[in-house]
Amino acid sequence: MDMQEQLRKIQEEAAAQLATITDKAELDALKVKLMGKKGELTLIRRSMGQIPAEDRPKAGQMINEVVAILTEKMDTLAAKINMLEQEKKLASEAIDVTEPRKHTMIGMQHPISLVQDQMLSVFTSMGFDVVEGPEVEYDLYNFEMMNIPKNHPARDAQDTFYIEDNVVLRTHTSPVQARTMLNRKPPIRIVCPGRVYRADEVDATHSPVFHQMEGLVVGEDVTMADLKGTLDAFAQKLFGDDMTTRFRPSFFPFTEPSAEVDLTCVNCHGKGCRICKGTGWIEVLGAGMVNPKVLEMCGIDSKKYSGFAFGVGLERIAMLRYGITDMRALFEGDVRFLSQFRDD
Ligand code: PHE
């Protein structure tokens, strides 16, 4: 078979193969078969030495032509395969934006977090800053600075979890008052939410861990009327315009005078029901005018400044707000219970 015939055969066979090739691997294999180190065309080119010198230029030209034709065809096919693969990839990655989404579980906020957020938004809208303090607290701030001396019954080991002799799990959020007064100059207007601890048995209304929010205002001419106005506004924003508060005389070492504060019953709105035991009132918080002794211990001139403070239990507020009758539900983490709450 002469060279021309050989070339024609190679070209025909290659063209036939190119017509059936659909992927890159096959195309690469063909390229190697034709033009690789031992490729058919490479071998022919190498055998040129065997033909007479005068025929070589023509032969070289013929080989070059076949190589050029086949290279172009293979390049064209490579581009086509490339495009098809791109299209396939795009099609497989396409997103159907009209497809209905899979059902996803949406987390709910815990009722304690909900009331805490609601209360913080009420107080911040009245100009209060939010301050937090440590849960593991020095006796000094939890008791001494709150005018609760060493022999006070509130320090009884039954009520307080001691970490060390002078370190406790805070029994209320009031130590944040002391920390703030020591660090800031009046006017002071803060609320301090947080977890507190008391060695109580668990039952429907008690838990050794619970939450409070403390309020403190210190300034010139701050009076009990300001305290009442603030708490009335708080009650109305949280529970409705018909709410009001009632102060009953009480005692706290850190306030003087002190009051237990009742709120119009959120269930019967004052008419009298089972929840308020027919009185129309429910007890919700402790409050009073900051004891001048406390102001002085915290470096504030009690002749120039006065203040009020209050402490609210968040569990109590959450229970009233959502009609929860057993406090344990707030701590057990049962998803069926928790999934009922959302802020709306
Ligand atoms: N610290 C008090 C308590 O835990 C609540 C309180 C705070 C009372 C501020 C008066 C003023 O019981």
Side-chain angles (χ1 to χ4, degrees):
M1 203 185 336
D2 71 0
M3 200 182 77
Q4 197 172 357
E5 182 66 9
Q6 247 178 312
L7 282 172
R8 201 183 50 76
K9 219 175 134 223
I10 292 173
Q11 190 178 345
E12 262 174 24
E13 274 177 20
Q17 272 195 44
L18 280 169
T20 64
I21 286 176
T22 52
D23 73 30
K24 198 165 167 312
E26 282 178 84
L27 183 58
D28 286 344
L30 179 62
K31 214 179 268 179
V32 172
K33 186 173 162 247
L34 294 172
M35 300 171 194
K37 253 191 189 162
K38 290 185 181 159
E40 291 165 357
L41 291 169
T42 316
L43 292 180
I44 291 185
R45 207 192 284 280
R46 257 191 231 149
S47 68
M48 290 251 293
Q50 289 160 18
I51 52 177
E54 67 270 22
D55 294 340
R56 272 180 216 157
K58 182 131 187 296
Q61 203 188 342
M62 276 174 1
I63 296 173
N64 286 347
E65 259 171 40
V66 174
V67 167
I69 290 169
L70 290 180
T71 303
E72 202 203 313
K73 282 196 172 163
M74 285 192 291
D75 286 350
T76 312
L77 184 58
K80 198 172 140 198
I81 289 174
N82 212 353
M83 208 178 74
L84 288 174
E85 274 174 6
Q86 280 282 349
E87 274 172 15
K88 230 158 84 185
K89 188 159 169 253
L90 286 177
S92 75
E93 285 173 359
I95 295 170
D96 178 1
V97 290
T98 63
E99 190 174 295
R101 71 179 170 80
K102 290 200 193 81
H103 178 72
T104 41
M105 294 279 280
I106 300 172
M108 299 288 163
Q109 253 187 301
H110 191 279
I112 295 293
S113 306
L114 279 176
V115 292
Q116 179 172 306
D117 286 356
Q118 290 156 3
M119 286 166 63
L120 287 179
S121 97
V122 169
F123 284 114
T124 50
S125 78
M126 290 197 258
F128 284 72
D129 287 343
V130 181
V131 179
E132 285 179 307
E135 291 173 26
V136 179
E137 183 57 285
Y138 288 108
D139 180 294
L140 177 71
Y141 298 119
N142 195 77
F143 292 130
E144 293 284 338
M145 306 281 273
M146 288 296 110
N147 195 32
I148 304 174
K150 282 271 183 291
N151 56 0
H152 194 280
R155 286 171 166 245
D156 196 307
Q158 277 184 7
D159 294 322
T160 308
F161 288 113
Y162 278 86
I163 304 286
E164 285 169 21
D165 271 355
N166 61 348
V167 179
V168 300
L169 290 182
R170 67 177 177 192
T171 58
H172 51 180
T173 41
S174 302
V176 189
Q177 285 188 35
R179 287 177 171 274
T180 307
M181 286 190 279
L182 287 165
N183 280 316
R184 294 195 191 183
K185 302 253 156 304
I188 295 169
R189 216 185 284 130
I190 57 158
V191 276
C192 326
R195 243 189 309 253
V196 300
Y197 302 83
R198 284 183 205 175
D200 275 329
E201 292 291 331
V202 172
D203 65 24
T205 53
H206 292 88
S207 161
V209 186
F210 57 104
H211 300 77
Q212 286 190 332
M213 190 177 295
E214 190 90 3
L216 172 72
V217 172
V218 180
E220 287 179 47
D221 304 320
V222 173
T223 70
M224 205 132 181
D226 298 317
L227 171 60
K228 173 119 168 80
T230 303
L231 293 179
D232 280 355
F234 156 69
Q236 283 155 13
K237 286 204 181 170
L238 209 65
F239 289 108
D241 288 343
D242 60 337
M243 291 290 131
T244 181
T245 57
R246 179 175 79 168
F247 282 38
R248 285 179 289 106
S250 185
F251 173 80
F252 297 105
F254 34 89
T255 47
E256 182 58 38
S258 302
E260 295 285 353
V261 180
D262 297 340
L263 185 67
T264 315
C265 177
V266 298
N267 186 53
C268 64
H269 295 261
K271 286 192 211 63
C273 68
R274 207 168 44 85
I275 294 196
C276 59
K277 300 194 181 76
T279 64
W281 297 98
I282 36 178
E283 189 188 322
V284 285
L285 51 89
M289 299 307 291
V290 181
N291 192 320
K293 271 199 205 165
V294 171
L295 291 177
E296 293 292 339
M297 277 191 278
C298 295
I300 290 176
D301 182 354
S302 65
K303 302 242 170 1
K304 186 164 177 209
Y305 298 107
S306 54
F308 67 73
F310 56 87
V312 199
L314 299 189
E315 279 73 12
R316 179 109 175 99
I317 300 292
M319 288 169 79
L320 290 171
R321 187 159 180 75
Y322 298 114
I324 300 164
T325 49
D326 191 327
M327 194 191 277
R328 284 167 288 204
L330 292 171
F331 296 99
E332 280 165 356
D334 186 329
V335 178
R336 292 166 302 177
F337 169 76
L338 295 174
S339 61
Q340 304 173 85
F341 301 94
R342 73 167 82 223
D343 202 359
D344 45 22

